[in-house]
Amino acid sequence: MFTTRPTLQGTFGMASSTHWLASSAATAVLEDGGNAFDAAVAGAFVLHVVEPHLNGPAGEVPALVAPAGGPVRVLCGQGVAPAAATAAHYRSLGLTLVPGTGPLAAAVPGAFDAWMLLLRDHGTKHLADVLQYAIHYADGGHPPVERLGETVAAVRDLFETEWTSSAELYLPGGELPRPGTLFRNPALAATWRRLLRESDAAGGDRTARIERAREVWRTGFIAEALAGQAALPTMDTSGERHPGTLTAADLAAWSASWEAPATHDWADWTVCKAGAWSQGPAFLQQLALLPADPADLPPYGSADYVHLLVENCKLAMADREAWYGDAAATPLADLLSPEYSAARRALVGPSASHEVRPGSPGGRTPRLAAHAAAVATGEGGFDALGLAGAGAGEPTVARHGTSGDTCHLDVVDRWGNMIAATPSGGWLHSNPVVPELGFPLGTRLQMTWLDEGLPNTLTPGRRPRTTLTPSLALRDGEPVMAFGTPGGDQQDQWQFHFFLAVALRAPVRGGLDLQGAIDAPNWHNDSFPGSFYPRGMKPGSLTVESRTDEETVAELRRRGHDVTVGDPWSEGRLCAVTRDPESGLLSAAANPRGMQGYATGR
């Protein structure tokens, strides 16, 4: 099969991310003696600088962390809803959905503290060592990718008329960021330099200085600026100006945390994901719906194969909508049980389903949010909302016609440490730039519902159910692969197809072709309520790359799938790294789609 690049292989260290400068910074840290976790922190802060339309320091990040010889853990960098962010308050404003932009959609920022927790607990470097790369590109400039300028162009009228602090940063002299020039964010560089000065002034060892940096973020000048910005009435997707609910007390009260992963075994693989506050278990449910023996799957890439995976995905995503969230317990053991999976598997027929069909794990009765139920029965959805085609990916800013996405970063080092992380949120079109900081607040609360009593109801102190879902896979109990992708609701579709391409076509110990699995034609469906404003769906939809076999497309249409044939390189944004536990051979690959993801290493 044609591949765009070689799968990188070596024994020293590998990094893969959605931007070449982040991968290079991570590799530089490895070369300087740092481990995979030091490298990941450095790469992540570079992503804040070079992909500001995709993530920022006030966004969020979940990560799967596998220290050499230790257990796999989930790093939760998803902040919670502020104390005043009740569903009743939002309904009192006349809202039926949390806006897709503006301070009302801002959860407590989670990304920064999560990276500090990782650096403290598993890193070896000082904070200044890993921040130097981000400061370099923020102060000295970086060549902006095309999508950055396109995003700013799409929201230019909003920036110039309402979010003027964003215009000052992203439209200097009225000009858009352009490839081949240098784009700078001096305010962000100044923020990190001040943070370092204040953390160093506290004295003490490496850990003490990291802890001081966390304090500065939560209670110092950064917290003061974030809370002040949140209090300002700001134009959002509702068409009105609203202040937010985030306060200094909310920032001071929250910190990132460590959790055990959700897991499922299939064949000789074990896949680890974040819990049901993410969409990660939807990947695990799709695994549970497969035949136990990989040999019983239809031929890879055939119409039977794609149909089975699409229909299984619809069932898992329907359960995600009914059962996942942080505001109530998720019956994950029942959702992944053999008995429940067998009953759900029996629902897959020869024709495409156009329904949202959540199950009844343990005999429980499923319930959808009123808006989700409406779009699922044809009373809403993309077309009914006048937004046909919008919402694919993450997220949509409907009033201003632009969509964002997310980042991903994987690192493995020569000692066997491994991490998969998916930073997102706090992108440039989520909220106005905080002038004195150089970055905006996030909008993750838009993923909650305003109906009472749901697992994903907007609830103070609880996490919105995020789409962010990095992956880590083990074989025979040993971590062997870290992977992930941007893409909102598509993340655990694209990743699942990639994982099966790896699992079915080549064993890890045989030197799998990671790049081939990433390059293989991919697809997604939108047959379930979307996670981002305006929360629509397209029943029976299936979007495939034009490189998909024509006979396969024709057969899928015959089975009732509403197939859209997209551009040849349009589905998937995957990154991956692997390690062979026996030989120590490391591999890495990155997505060529979008022309900015790269793997590095030796």
Side-chain angles (χ1 to χ4, degrees):
M1 179 181 66
F2 168 78
T3 61
T4 58
R5 306 166 181 171
T7 295
L8 304 186
Q9 293 192 311
T11 57
F12 181 81
M14 293 284 167
S16 177
S17 84
T18 48
H19 196 288
W20 65 88
L21 291 179
S23 298
S24 297
T27 300
V29 172
L30 295 176
E31 295 284 0
D32 194 42
N35 66 19
F37 310 120
D38 298 312
V41 176
F45 278 91
V46 170
L47 287 174
H48 296 158
V49 177
V50 300
E51 294 189 327
H53 54 306
L54 308 181
N55 78 138
E60 44 274 323
V61 59
L64 271 295
V65 175
V72 176
R73 302 289 287 172
V74 174
L75 174 61
C76 175
Q78 175 56 65
V80 299
T86 65
H89 170 63
Y90 284 60
R91 292 196 305 270
S92 74
L93 299 175
L95 300 171
T96 57
L97 293 174
V98 177
T101 59
L104 273 181
V108 177
F112 178 86
D113 197 61
W115 293 119
M116 294 302 99
L117 194 63
L118 177 67
L119 187 65
R120 184 196 74 182
D121 292 351
H122 292 291
T124 65
K125 292 289 188 180
H126 284 269
L127 180 55
D129 296 331
V130 295
L131 270 182
Q132 63 175 312
Y133 307 94
I135 293 171
H136 170 82
Y137 289 119
D139 204 19
H142 62 91
V145 295
E146 288 187 11
R147 187 59 182 151
L148 173 57
E150 292 170 358
T151 302
V152 176
V155 291
R156 181 171 192 149
D157 63 329
L158 174 68
F159 282 11
E160 292 182 333
T161 60
E162 295 282 348
W163 297 8
T164 54
S165 61
S166 296
E168 290 174 7
L169 175 58
Y170 288 107
L171 289 163
E175 296 293 324
L176 294 167
R178 290 184 296 105
T181 63
L182 288 177
F183 180 79
R184 296 175 173 85
N185 188 341
L188 179 58
T191 296
W192 296 146
R193 287 194 174 107
R194 180 176 174 182
L195 176 84
L196 290 174
R197 287 197 302 272
E198 295 194 12
S199 63
D200 288 345
D205 61 8
R206 186 186 76 92
T207 298
R209 296 182 184 205
I210 293 171
E211 283 300 297
R212 175 55 183 155
R214 298 177 74 197
E215 291 177 12
V216 172
W217 176 276
R218 292 200 298 252
T219 63
F221 77 96
I222 294 176
E224 180 180 353
L226 291 173
Q229 183 67 47
L232 297 176
T234 301
M235 179 65 71
D236 59 39
T237 51
S238 73
E240 298 182 7
R241 298 179 184 88
H242 294 110
T245 57
L246 181 70
T247 67
D250 296 312
L251 290 158
W254 184 85
S255 64
S257 59
W258 294 105
E259 300 179 359
T263 66
H264 189 74
D265 298 332
W266 182 75
D268 57 350
W269 293 84
T270 299
V271 177
C272 302
K273 303 289 282 187
W277 53 269
S278 75
Q279 69 170 326
F283 185 113
L284 305 182
Q285 283 196 255
Q286 291 176 81
L287 269 186
L289 289 168
L290 293 178
D293 187 345
D296 292 334
L297 279 168
Y300 175 83
S302 66
D304 286 341
Y305 180 86
V306 176
H307 174 77
L308 176 65
L309 267 57
V310 169
E311 295 306 299
N312 285 353
C313 175
K314 292 175 185 177
L315 295 173
M317 289 302 201
D319 279 343
R320 182 195 74 165
E321 194 51 56
W323 299 112
Y324 293 15
D326 195 39
T330 297
L332 194 54
D334 287 327
L335 289 167
L336 292 172
S337 70
E339 298 78 14
Y340 181 77
S341 299
R344 297 291 276 166
R345 195 180 298 123
L347 297 176
V348 176
S351 300
S353 169
H354 288 230
E355 301 176 81
V356 176
R357 299 180 289 177
S360 300
R364 301 168 181 85
T365 301
R367 178 186 163 209
L368 300 180
H371 180 86
V375 299
T377 55
E379 298 175 25
F382 294 135
D383 295 335
L385 291 163
L387 295 162
E394 178 185 334
T396 298
V397 184
R399 291 184 65 248
H400 304 285
T402 187
S403 62
D405 213 316
T406 294
C407 308
H408 188 78
L409 174 70
D410 301 311
V411 187
V412 61
D413 64 31
R414 62 192 185 275
W415 300 290
N417 299 300
M418 185 180 293
I419 180 172
T422 308
S424 188
W427 37 68
L428 66 87
H429 46 296
S430 60
N431 264 290
V433 166
V434 184
E436 56 266 57
L437 300 181
F439 58 86
L441 288 162
T443 56
R444 194 60 58 171
L445 293 186
Q446 67 178 294
M447 310 184 77
T448 60
W449 295 113
L450 300 181
D451 310 52
E452 299 288 355
L454 296 169
N456 195 31
T457 295
L458 177 62
T459 305
R462 296 293 182 174
R463 293 166 288 191
R465 188 199 72 214
T466 180
T467 52
L468 306 175
T469 172
S471 303
L472 200 141
L474 292 73
R475 290 187 77 179
D476 302 324
E478 290 283 344
V480 295
M481 182 164 66
F483 59 103
T485 180
D489 293 319
Q490 301 165 17
Q491 289 183 30
D492 275 327
Q493 300 185 60
W494 291 336
Q495 289 187 75
F496 192 73
H497 310 155
F498 161 80
F499 171 77
L500 286 185
V502 171
L504 296 174
R505 298 181 67 139
V508 170
R509 289 174 178 80
L512 73 134
D513 184 6
L514 275 185
Q515 193 64 52
I518 288 175
D519 289 352
N522 216 318
W523 65 90
H524 82 275
N525 83 90
D526 295 304
S527 296
F528 47 85
S531 296
F532 289 90
Y533 185 93
R535 312 299 295 269
M537 66 174 280
K538 298 173 71 175
S541 68
L542 176 59
T543 302
V544 303
E545 292 182 324
S546 61
R547 295 179 294 130
T548 305
D549 180 75
E550 292 182 3
E551 292 184 4
T552 297
V553 172
E555 175 60 17
L556 290 167
R557 284 176 170 151
R558 191 191 67 78
R559 295 184 181 207
H561 296 277
D562 181 9
V563 180
T564 297
V565 177
D567 292 337
W569 296 91
S570 55
E571 294 287 318
R573 306 286 185 272
L574 282 141
C575 302
V577 299
T578 66
R579 179 178 184 271
D580 182 333
E582 294 181 358
S583 67
L585 180 66
L586 310 178
S587 302
N591 172 59
R593 301 164 178 90
M595 301 296 287
Q596 63 189 68
Y598 269 89
T600 57
R602 66 174 179 89

